[in-house]
mmCIF file of all heavy atoms in Angstrom:
data_model
loop_
_atom_site.group_PDB
_atom_site.id
_atom_site.type_symbol
_atom_site.label_atom_id
_atom_site.label_comp_id
_atom_site.label_asym_id
_atom_site.label_seq_id
_atom_site.Cartn_x
_atom_site.Cartn_y
_atom_site.Cartn_z
ATOM 1 N N ILE A 598 4.612 -12.929 4.412
ATOM 2 C CA ILE A 598 3.443 -13.181 3.283
ATOM 3 C C ILE A 598 4.179 -13.686 2.177
ATOM 4 O O ILE A 598 5.195 -13.104 1.568
ATOM 5 C CB ILE A 598 2.794 -11.841 3.241
ATOM 6 C CG1 ILE A 598 1.593 -11.964 2.336
ATOM 7 C CG2 ILE A 598 3.678 -10.674 2.603
ATOM 8 C CD1 ILE A 598 0.628 -10.901 2.300
ATOM 9 N N GLU A 599 3.538 -14.782 1.528
ATOM 10 C CA GLU A 599 4.009 -15.338 0.346
ATOM 11 C C GLU A 599 3.516 -14.735 -0.917
ATOM 12 O O GLU A 599 2.408 -14.184 -0.938
ATOM 13 C CB GLU A 599 3.864 -16.918 0.391
ATOM 14 C CG GLU A 599 4.502 -17.530 1.590
ATOM 15 C CD GLU A 599 4.060 -19.111 1.594
ATOM 16 O OE1 GLU A 599 3.721 -19.660 0.620
ATOM 17 O OE2 GLU A 599 4.337 -19.644 2.676
ATOM 18 N N ASP A 600 4.380 -14.936 -2.011
ATOM 19 C CA ASP A 600 3.893 -14.452 -3.232
ATOM 20 C C ASP A 600 2.587 -15.083 -3.775
ATOM 21 O O ASP A 600 1.739 -14.440 -4.327
ATOM 22 C CB ASP A 600 4.878 -14.783 -4.343
ATOM 23 C CG ASP A 600 5.922 -13.588 -4.562
ATOM 24 O OD1 ASP A 600 5.754 -12.514 -3.970
ATOM 25 O OD2 ASP A 600 6.789 -13.678 -5.546
ATOM 26 N N MET A 601 2.445 -16.303 -3.433
ATOM 27 C CA MET A 601 1.142 -16.990 -3.797
ATOM 28 C C MET A 601 -0.024 -16.257 -3.206
ATOM 29 O O MET A 601 -1.035 -16.100 -3.854
ATOM 30 C CB MET A 601 1.262 -18.476 -3.280
ATOM 31 C CG MET A 601 0.029 -19.185 -3.671
ATOM 32 S SD MET A 601 -0.019 -20.844 -2.999
ATOM 33 C CE MET A 601 -0.405 -20.638 -1.349
ATOM 34 N N THR A 602 0.128 -15.789 -1.889
ATOM 35 C CA THR A 602 -1.037 -15.058 -1.341
ATOM 36 C C THR A 602 -1.388 -13.853 -1.986
ATOM 37 O O THR A 602 -2.441 -13.461 -2.115
ATOM 38 C CB THR A 602 -0.791 -14.980 0.167
ATOM 39 O OG1 THR A 602 -0.358 -16.084 0.867
ATOM 40 C CG2 THR A 602 -1.902 -14.202 0.931
ATOM 41 N N VAL A 603 -0.231 -13.049 -2.367
ATOM 42 C CA VAL A 603 -0.381 -11.855 -3.032
ATOM 43 C C VAL A 603 -1.103 -11.971 -4.387
ATOM 44 O O VAL A 603 -1.947 -11.247 -4.786
ATOM 45 C CB VAL A 603 0.990 -11.166 -3.141
ATOM 46 C CG1 VAL A 603 0.897 -9.833 -3.995
ATOM 47 C CG2 VAL A 603 1.590 -10.763 -1.903
ATOM 48 N N VAL A 604 -0.555 -13.043 -5.047
ATOM 49 C CA VAL A 604 -1.139 -13.256 -6.529
ATOM 50 C C VAL A 604 -2.515 -13.705 -6.432
ATOM 51 O O VAL A 604 -3.371 -13.186 -7.121
ATOM 52 C CB VAL A 604 -0.240 -14.473 -7.062
ATOM 53 C CG1 VAL A 604 -0.984 -14.996 -8.280
ATOM 54 C CG2 VAL A 604 1.082 -14.035 -7.422
ATOM 55 N N GLU A 605 -2.887 -14.562 -5.441
ATOM 56 C CA GLU A 605 -4.386 -14.844 -5.355
ATOM 57 C C GLU A 605 -5.227 -13.661 -4.939
ATOM 58 O O GLU A 605 -6.203 -13.444 -5.541
ATOM 59 C CB GLU A 605 -4.520 -16.008 -4.074
ATOM 60 C CG GLU A 605 -3.959 -17.307 -4.530
ATOM 61 C CD GLU A 605 -4.081 -18.326 -3.383
ATOM 62 O OE1 GLU A 605 -4.121 -17.889 -2.247
ATOM 63 O OE2 GLU A 605 -3.864 -19.483 -3.622
ATOM 64 N N LYS A 606 -4.722 -12.785 -4.042
ATOM 65 C CA LYS A 606 -5.481 -11.632 -3.681
ATOM 66 C C LYS A 606 -5.526 -10.690 -4.972
ATOM 67 O O LYS A 606 -6.704 -10.250 -5.152
ATOM 68 C CB LYS A 606 -4.673 -10.780 -2.572
ATOM 69 C CG LYS A 606 -5.285 -9.612 -2.182
ATOM 70 C CD LYS A 606 -6.739 -9.806 -1.546
ATOM 71 C CE LYS A 606 -7.335 -8.565 -0.998
ATOM 72 N NZ LYS A 606 -8.583 -8.874 -0.342
ATOM 73 N N ILE A 607 -4.620 -10.471 -5.745
ATOM 74 C CA ILE A 607 -4.630 -9.695 -7.130
ATOM 75 C C ILE A 607 -5.742 -10.269 -7.903
ATOM 76 O O ILE A 607 -6.567 -9.571 -8.435
ATOM 77 C CB ILE A 607 -3.209 -9.473 -7.644
ATOM 78 C CG1 ILE A 607 -2.339 -8.634 -6.687
ATOM 79 C CG2 ILE A 607 -3.371 -8.792 -9.001
ATOM 80 C CD1 ILE A 607 -0.955 -8.612 -7.114
ATOM 81 N N LEU A 608 -5.664 -11.485 -8.177
ATOM 82 C CA LEU A 608 -6.498 -12.292 -9.116
ATOM 83 C C LEU A 608 -8.023 -12.128 -8.521
ATOM 84 O O LEU A 608 -8.901 -11.977 -9.411
ATOM 85 C CB LEU A 608 -6.130 -13.624 -9.244
ATOM 86 C CG LEU A 608 -4.749 -13.889 -10.023
ATOM 87 C CD1 LEU A 608 -4.436 -15.389 -10.104
ATOM 88 C CD2 LEU A 608 -4.965 -13.310 -11.507
ATOM 89 N N GLN A 609 -8.141 -12.260 -7.292
ATOM 90 C CA GLN A 609 -9.529 -12.136 -6.747
ATOM 91 C C GLN A 609 -10.154 -10.829 -6.898
ATOM 92 O O GLN A 609 -11.440 -10.577 -6.807
ATOM 93 C CB GLN A 609 -9.532 -12.648 -5.362
ATOM 94 C CG GLN A 609 -9.300 -14.160 -5.161
ATOM 95 C CD GLN A 609 -9.101 -14.547 -3.654
ATOM 96 O OE1 GLN A 609 -9.044 -13.644 -2.792
ATOM 97 N NE2 GLN A 609 -8.735 -15.742 -3.420
ATOM 98 N N THR A 610 -9.372 -9.804 -6.913
ATOM 99 C CA THR A 610 -9.837 -8.456 -6.817
ATOM 100 C C THR A 610 -9.805 -7.574 -8.081
ATOM 101 O O THR A 610 -10.187 -6.508 -8.028
ATOM 102 C CB THR A 610 -9.087 -7.618 -5.648
ATOM 103 O OG1 THR A 610 -7.682 -7.668 -5.901
ATOM 104 C CG2 THR A 610 -9.317 -8.220 -4.257
ATOM 105 N N MET A 611 -9.501 -8.256 -9.166
ATOM 106 C CA MET A 611 -9.501 -7.636 -10.461
ATOM 107 C C MET A 611 -11.016 -7.267 -10.901
ATOM 108 O O MET A 611 -11.996 -7.994 -10.454
ATOM 109 C CB MET A 611 -8.794 -8.375 -11.438
ATOM 110 C CG MET A 611 -7.311 -8.616 -11.234
ATOM 111 S SD MET A 611 -6.387 -7.086 -11.050
ATOM 112 C CE MET A 611 -6.640 -6.252 -12.581
ATOM 113 N N THR A 612 -11.092 -6.286 -11.748
ATOM 114 C CA THR A 612 -12.455 -5.943 -12.229
ATOM 115 C C THR A 612 -12.929 -6.966 -13.273
ATOM 116 O O THR A 612 -12.265 -7.690 -13.761
ATOM 117 C CB THR A 612 -12.416 -4.524 -12.903
ATOM 118 O OG1 THR A 612 -11.515 -4.659 -13.988
ATOM 119 C CG2 THR A 612 -12.065 -3.422 -11.937
ATOM 120 N N PRO A 613 -14.328 -6.925 -13.453
ATOM 121 C CA PRO A 613 -14.836 -7.940 -14.394
ATOM 122 C C PRO A 613 -14.260 -7.950 -15.630
ATOM 123 O O PRO A 613 -14.132 -8.994 -16.389
ATOM 124 C CB PRO A 613 -16.376 -7.660 -14.409
ATOM 125 C CG PRO A 613 -16.617 -7.149 -13.100
ATOM 126 C CD PRO A 613 -15.365 -6.209 -12.725
ATOM 127 N N LYS A 614 -13.847 -6.783 -16.196
ATOM 128 C CA LYS A 614 -13.195 -6.773 -17.546
ATOM 129 C C LYS A 614 -11.981 -7.572 -17.672
ATOM 130 O O LYS A 614 -11.501 -7.873 -18.871
ATOM 131 C CB LYS A 614 -13.077 -5.332 -18.012
ATOM 132 C CG LYS A 614 -11.878 -4.561 -17.481
ATOM 133 C CD LYS A 614 -11.788 -3.225 -18.157
ATOM 134 C CE LYS A 614 -10.656 -2.442 -17.710
ATOM 135 N NZ LYS A 614 -10.469 -1.193 -18.230
ATOM 136 N N PHE A 615 -11.358 -7.968 -16.596
ATOM 137 C CA PHE A 615 -10.152 -8.755 -16.519
ATOM 138 C C PHE A 615 -10.475 -10.262 -16.191
ATOM 139 O O PHE A 615 -9.457 -10.940 -16.129
ATOM 140 C CB PHE A 615 -9.005 -8.159 -15.533
ATOM 141 C CG PHE A 615 -8.359 -7.023 -16.025
ATOM 142 C CD1 PHE A 615 -8.898 -5.665 -15.740
ATOM 143 C CD2 PHE A 615 -7.275 -6.999 -16.822
ATOM 144 C CE1 PHE A 615 -8.230 -4.489 -16.063
ATOM 145 C CE2 PHE A 615 -6.592 -5.910 -17.224
ATOM 146 C CZ PHE A 615 -7.140 -4.708 -16.917
ATOM 147 N N ASN A 616 -11.761 -10.568 -16.229
ATOM 148 C CA ASN A 616 -11.985 -11.993 -15.954
ATOM 149 C C ASN A 616 -11.308 -12.983 -16.795
ATOM 150 O O ASN A 616 -10.839 -14.038 -16.448
ATOM 151 C CB ASN A 616 -13.535 -12.220 -15.882
ATOM 152 C CG ASN A 616 -14.123 -11.672 -14.677
ATOM 153 O OD1 ASN A 616 -13.540 -11.371 -13.653
ATOM 154 N ND2 ASN A 616 -15.539 -11.708 -14.755
ATOM 155 N N TYR A 617 -11.235 -12.687 -18.136
ATOM 156 C CA TYR A 617 -10.640 -13.551 -19.068
ATOM 157 C C TYR A 617 -9.175 -13.614 -18.805
ATOM 158 O O TYR A 617 -8.617 -14.701 -19.105
ATOM 159 C CB TYR A 617 -10.935 -13.237 -20.631
ATOM 160 C CG TYR A 617 -10.208 -11.933 -21.028
ATOM 161 C CD1 TYR A 617 -8.940 -12.224 -21.656
ATOM 162 C CD2 TYR A 617 -10.506 -10.679 -20.785
ATOM 163 C CE1 TYR A 617 -8.205 -11.197 -22.352
ATOM 164 C CE2 TYR A 617 -9.857 -9.631 -21.282
ATOM 165 C CZ TYR A 617 -8.646 -9.914 -22.058
ATOM 166 O OH TYR A 617 -7.929 -8.806 -22.518
ATOM 167 N N VAL A 618 -8.548 -12.676 -18.385
ATOM 168 C CA VAL A 618 -7.142 -12.586 -18.102
ATOM 169 C C VAL A 618 -6.910 -13.439 -16.843
ATOM 170 O O VAL A 618 -5.914 -14.177 -16.815
ATOM 171 C CB VAL A 618 -6.531 -11.226 -17.777
ATOM 172 C CG1 VAL A 618 -5.122 -11.228 -17.393
ATOM 173 C CG2 VAL A 618 -6.760 -10.246 -19.000
ATOM 174 N N VAL A 619 -7.796 -13.371 -15.823
ATOM 175 C CA VAL A 619 -7.644 -14.193 -14.719
ATOM 176 C C VAL A 619 -7.746 -15.519 -15.028
ATOM 177 O O VAL A 619 -6.881 -16.531 -14.591
ATOM 178 C CB VAL A 619 -8.687 -13.686 -13.542
ATOM 179 C CG1 VAL A 619 -8.725 -14.652 -12.465
ATOM 180 C CG2 VAL A 619 -8.413 -12.323 -13.044
ATOM 181 N N CYS A 620 -8.762 -15.974 -15.854
ATOM 182 C CA CYS A 620 -8.892 -17.395 -16.278
ATOM 183 C C CYS A 620 -7.585 -17.813 -17.014
ATOM 184 O O CYS A 620 -7.086 -19.005 -16.848
ATOM 185 C CB CYS A 620 -10.119 -17.568 -17.214
ATOM 186 S SG CYS A 620 -11.655 -17.364 -16.213
ATOM 187 N N LEU A 621 -7.198 -17.009 -17.954
ATOM 188 C CA LEU A 621 -5.900 -17.276 -18.818
ATOM 189 C C LEU A 621 -4.716 -17.646 -17.838
ATOM 190 O O LEU A 621 -4.034 -18.677 -18.027
ATOM 191 C CB LEU A 621 -5.627 -16.229 -19.708
ATOM 192 C CG LEU A 621 -6.397 -16.093 -21.028
ATOM 193 C CD1 LEU A 621 -5.900 -14.792 -21.715
ATOM 194 C CD2 LEU A 621 -6.106 -17.438 -21.873
ATOM 195 N N GLU A 622 -4.451 -16.735 -16.796
ATOM 196 C CA GLU A 622 -3.414 -16.873 -15.887
ATOM 197 C C GLU A 622 -3.531 -18.120 -15.112
ATOM 198 O O GLU A 622 -2.578 -18.938 -14.857
ATOM 199 C CB GLU A 622 -3.293 -15.794 -14.987
ATOM 200 C CG GLU A 622 -2.769 -14.537 -15.676
ATOM 201 C CD GLU A 622 -1.497 -14.632 -16.146
ATOM 202 O OE1 GLU A 622 -0.431 -15.432 -15.700
ATOM 203 O OE2 GLU A 622 -1.083 -14.079 -17.291
ATOM 204 N N GLU A 623 -4.767 -18.512 -14.478
ATOM 205 C CA GLU A 623 -5.085 -19.736 -13.840
ATOM 206 C C GLU A 623 -4.800 -21.005 -14.730
ATOM 207 O O GLU A 623 -4.261 -21.882 -14.206
ATOM 208 C CB GLU A 623 -6.494 -19.660 -13.286
ATOM 209 C CG GLU A 623 -6.626 -18.702 -12.060
ATOM 210 C CD GLU A 623 -8.025 -18.458 -11.562
ATOM 211 O OE1 GLU A 623 -8.929 -18.905 -12.188
ATOM 212 O OE2 GLU A 623 -8.135 -17.958 -10.484
ATOM 213 N N GLU A 624 -5.138 -20.923 -15.914
ATOM 214 C CA GLU A 624 -5.003 -21.999 -16.924
ATOM 215 C C GLU A 624 -3.654 -22.200 -17.330
ATOM 216 O O GLU A 624 -3.107 -23.373 -17.364
ATOM 217 C CB GLU A 624 -6.084 -21.981 -18.071
ATOM 218 C CG GLU A 624 -7.434 -21.994 -17.679
ATOM 219 C CD GLU A 624 -7.851 -23.373 -17.329
ATOM 220 O OE1 GLU A 624 -7.329 -24.371 -17.793
ATOM 221 O OE2 GLU A 624 -8.775 -23.489 -16.214
ATOM 222 N N ALA A 625 -2.906 -21.101 -17.619
ATOM 223 C CA ALA A 625 -1.610 -21.201 -18.251
ATOM 224 C C ALA A 625 -0.536 -21.459 -17.206
ATOM 225 O O ALA A 625 0.483 -21.976 -17.502
ATOM 226 C CB ALA A 625 -1.285 -19.981 -18.974
#
Side-chain angles (χ1 to χ4, degrees):
I598 188 165
E599 295 181 19
D600 260 3
M601 181 183 76
T602 306
V603 177
V604 166
E605 287 174 347
K606 179 65 176 179
I607 292 169
L608 290 175
Q609 291 169 357
T610 57
M611 293 305 297
T612 59
K614 75 177 184 178
F615 284 94
N616 282 348
Y617 78 94
V618 178
V619 171
C620 290
L621 281 173
E622 289 300 325
E623 288 175 346
E624 292 294 323

